[in-house]
Amino acid sequence: MISASALIPASRRPLDQQDNPDAKLVTVPALGVIYEVPPGVPTTVTYGPVTALKQSGIYTGRVFGAMAGAIGRIPEKIPALWNSLSGKPRDPNTPISVVGASRLGGETVEHGAWWLFLNILITLNFFVGVFNLLPLLPLDGGHIAIAWFERVRSWLARLRGKPDPGRVDYFKLMPLTYAVIVIMGGFTLLTVAADIINPITLFSR
């Protein structure tokens, strides 16, 4: 894509009344950036049934990798989330809660960007699915990890000629489970508070 800049009329509050929600709006010139598609470049690409399956798999793999990377970067985003509660600018790359996702969805519907609304909905569901696969109790990934551990342990016992050690004692894992619940609960409260006090927006106010 190529871009061009131009002056466009925009409604803004006077500079000395930016914090006054009742201030009368005035029309001022604003510098806008317009994205244009170069000639000959299609805005949409259509695939056949076979190619569509291949491209869907490629796209899903990319999204999965991006989600895994985003989950791995969550701990380093916690300080930015905490700082946003004190009125500092919100980092748009910080995690959001269901409150923030709902706000973004409402913005897209308000501006008629239904394609973006569907993209947010799909991405959110994909993220929940990937996050649920983490090998931590009480997530499904934790139960899957324990099931595989039991199978491997039973297989090794058979190779050694020893009796099957049986199922894992979940009661011994309860302290770890409670710790995960407390950490996830605290993180959820932090993201909800940030989305209420200093939300991320897709469109300028």
Side-chain angles (χ1 to χ4, degrees):
M1 290 187 179
I2 59 176
S3 62
S5 59
L7 288 177
I8 58 175
S11 297
R12 297 287 188 271
R13 298 190 186 97
L15 292 177
D16 57 348
Q17 301 183 44
Q18 289 294 314
D19 297 329
N20 182 11
D22 299 324
K24 184 178 179 180
L25 300 179
V26 295
T27 301
V28 297
L31 182 64
V33 179
I34 304 173
Y35 289 94
E36 297 178 351
V37 179
V41 177
T43 56
T44 59
V45 179
T46 303
Y47 297 108
V50 177
T51 308
L53 288 175
K54 176 183 177 181
Q55 294 299 325
S56 297
I58 294 174
Y59 178 76
T60 302
R62 290 176 179 173
V63 174
F64 187 90
M67 291 296 175
I71 292 174
R73 291 190 297 271
I74 285 179
E76 66 186 46
K77 298 296 183 180
I78 293 179
L81 276 173
W82 183 261
N83 291 335
S84 67
L85 298 180
S86 61
K88 295 182 180 180
R90 176 78 180 269
D91 182 357
N93 294 318
T94 52
I96 60 174
S97 65
V98 64
V99 175
S102 299
R103 291 179 64 99
L104 295 181
E107 285 187 33
T108 58
V109 172
E110 182 181 359
H111 288 79
W114 289 100
W115 65 271
L116 186 54
F117 172 79
L118 291 176
N119 192 24
I120 292 175
L121 183 63
I122 293 171
T123 303
L124 180 62
N125 280 273
F126 202 101
F127 177 83
V128 172
V130 173
F131 186 83
N132 195 39
L133 290 177
L134 290 177
L136 297 171
L137 291 174
L139 302 178
D140 288 342
H143 295 283
I144 295 173
I146 291 177
W148 277 105
F149 172 76
E150 290 175 342
R151 292 177 66 90
V152 172
R153 188 173 63 169
S154 298
W155 176 70
L156 292 176
R158 286 197 302 270
L159 290 180
R160 298 174 181 176
K162 297 181 178 180
D164 191 334
R167 304 290 300 275
V168 170
D169 187 357
Y170 274 82
F171 286 103
K172 294 182 179 180
L173 297 175
M174 291 306 295
L176 177 60
T177 303
Y178 290 143
V180 172
I181 292 175
V182 170
I183 293 174
M184 292 176 59
F187 181 76
T188 300
L189 292 176
L190 178 60
T191 53
V192 169
D195 290 333
I196 294 175
I197 298 175
N198 198 350
I200 295 174
T201 59
L202 295 175
F203 302 91
S204 59
R205 298 177 181 177

